[in-house]
Amino acid sequence: MLSLLTSCATSRSAPGARHEFTRPEMGLPFRIVLYAPDRLTATAAAEAAFARIHELNDVFSDYEYDSELSRLSRTAGSGQKVPVSEDLWRVLEQAQALAKRSDGAFDITVGPYVSLWRRARRLQRLPTPEWLERARAAVGYQHLRLDRRHHTAELLVPNMRLDLGAIAKGYAVEAAMTILRERGIRSALVGGGGDMAASGPPPGKKGWRIAVAPLDVPGAPPPRHVWLSHRAIATSGDLSQRLEIDGKRYSHIVDPKTGLGLTHHTLVTVIARDCTTADAMATTVSVLGQEGGVAFVKRIQGLAVHLVGQPADRIETEEAGGFARFYEVDANRP
Ligand code: AMP
Ligand code: MG
């Protein structure tokens, strides 16, 4: 069934041919572009990569009742220390490290707030202070305890709900790229939603040319392009999912301090060495906002960030971590 949904396009170019595949996974289209000597090699590699993403959805999904994450969330407040799989462990560990480092701006325990946000979008009404208060009791990364020695997780408070929406896609993209590499594919681009990872450049090119998502407001500057190889890029903001009440826009990214969706309209693009980091950092910088986000990124090695926002009537762009060095500079590019 799934392979019927997969589309494949191939074009010839020395030294390898370009092959492109797309398939819906994790509720969004995933895309793989790769160079391989023949179609059979390309298809087998892409199939294996998609299968890996599919497998990860069974671990990370907060929609699927039976995912490993959902099962873990249901143990909240029970006193159980739950052994977790290697994939879930890695994501939980990285998420908790970032939660501490960002002073809780990034927080995968925001599940109860995200549920309220989804409800508010359905009802077109903000949650009442009572609902928010009730959710607040079940949110806080300090209530998620990880045991590094035994790889167990414990959710200390009842009604907690973990949400990996800000990091799992990036992890899946990275994991798919690892599969391609293991199969000998040296030049590939894997994308899912706003997250992308690039390995070696296409033959004869200096990198993969990728558009930085532009702000969707009138008068916004047109998209610029970056050249990436052996890097990942992720964009966060309220482009695809948002809630609008009384003329005010609430992003699907929640400020854990208020429990409500962000209202500052900022689009954040992060370039990092791996896609898990790029994904998680783009969300974190979104929560921290322009000033706090830039200061945060500057303290971390290997991160470049581009922010575009509309604080008042003006559109403001800011960059840090040497983002500009990824812009196209090659006037002779094909
Ligand atoms: P992204 O598109 O990568 O920025 O991720 C947004 C998603 O992450 C949301 O749809 C929520 O599922 C989840 N999320 C929302 N707010 C936060 C937050 N402050 N920290 C971590 N995850 C969040
Ligand atoms: Mg993210």
Side-chain angles (χ1 to χ4, degrees):
M1 158 76 177
L2 269 174
S3 30
L4 289 178
L5 294 171
T6 304
S7 55
C8 168
T10 305
S11 65
R12 296 258 144 225
S13 74
R18 182 184 193 276
H19 302 264
E20 183 168 343
F21 307 83
T22 54
R23 185 179 294 180
E25 288 291 348
M26 294 185 155
L28 21 98
F30 271 77
R31 177 168 165 250
I32 296 177
V33 183
L34 58 83
Y35 285 81
D38 58 77
R39 177 152 179 188
L40 210 63
T41 311
T43 307
E47 279 297 326
F50 284 131
R52 175 81 171 114
I53 298 169
H54 196 73
E55 168 189 284
L56 288 173
N57 189 52
D58 293 342
V59 176
F60 298 140
S61 172
D62 62 305
Y63 280 97
E64 311 260 344
Y65 183 81
D66 265 331
S67 71
E68 188 182 356
L69 188 79
S70 298
R71 282 185 276 121
L72 174 60
S73 287
R74 284 198 292 278
T75 67
S78 70
Q80 290 179 67
K81 294 181 172 63
V82 183
V84 297
S85 66
E86 199 48 40
D87 288 314
L88 186 53
W89 175 260
R90 283 200 212 116
V91 169
L92 292 180
E93 206 180 29
Q94 188 161 346
Q96 288 298 81
L98 183 54
K100 282 193 198 98
R101 194 165 195 177
S102 68
D103 195 22
F106 184 87
D107 188 338
I108 58 165
T109 71
V110 291
Y113 289 151
V114 173
S115 299
L116 288 185
W117 183 91
R118 287 178 187 157
R119 192 167 178 269
R121 197 164 63 157
R122 272 199 314 276
L123 303 177
Q124 287 298 304
R125 197 156 19 99
L126 287 182
T128 63
E130 291 75 33
W131 280 92
L132 273 172
E133 207 48 53
R134 203 175 306 167
R136 183 162 296 127
V139 174
Y141 71 91
Q142 302 89 341
H143 306 320
L144 168 61
R145 189 179 289 160
L146 301 182
D147 181 334
R148 194 165 282 172
R149 215 150 65 104
H150 302 99
H151 284 199
T152 59
E154 184 180 1
L155 279 61
L156 300 173
V157 173
N159 302 319
M160 284 177 73
R161 211 174 144 178
L162 302 184
D163 181 329
L164 299 177
I167 186 170
K169 250 183 300 125
Y171 186 88
V173 163
E174 196 62 39
M177 185 60 97
T178 302
I179 296 283
L180 297 180
R181 199 173 297 122
E182 283 168 6
R183 289 185 165 247
I185 306 292
R186 295 278 162 260
S187 169
L189 184 74
V190 179
D195 302 346
M196 261 179 255
S199 59
K205 303 268 179 75
K206 62 176 184 165
W208 294 85
R209 187 171 181 262
I210 294 163
V212 178
L215 203 65
D216 62 336
V217 295
R224 294 189 67 180
H225 293 83
V226 288
W227 291 91
L228 293 189
S229 60
H230 305 294
R231 289 283 188 288
I233 186 165
T235 298
S236 270
D238 58 356
L239 268 188
S240 58
Q241 296 191 61
R242 70 172 75 122
L243 157 72
E244 199 160 330
I245 292 177
D246 293 336
K248 204 165 178 179
R249 270 163 72 162
Y250 297 87
S251 161
H252 66 301
I253 301 170
V254 170
D255 183 349
K257 290 202 164 67
T258 63
L260 294 173
L262 301 178
T263 51
H264 54 258
H265 182 39
T266 309
L267 208 56
V268 176
T269 299
V270 168
I271 296 176
R273 291 205 174 265
D274 71 276
C275 204
T276 319
T277 302
D279 187 6
M281 286 294 176
T283 310
T284 308
V285 172
S286 296
V287 176
L288 292 171
Q290 192 147 341
E291 209 176 312
V294 167
F296 182 73
V297 163
K298 282 182 174 162
R299 291 201 298 271
I300 300 173
Q301 274 240 313
L303 283 189
V305 66
H306 167 97
L307 292 96
V308 52
Q310 200 180 22
D313 284 341
R314 284 165 301 117
I315 292 170
E316 285 183 3
T317 302
E318 194 164 343
E319 289 173 349
F323 194 93
R325 74 181 186 276
F326 294 103
Y327 286 132
E328 49 198 316
V329 285
D330 186 357
N332 300 317
R333 69 175 189 278

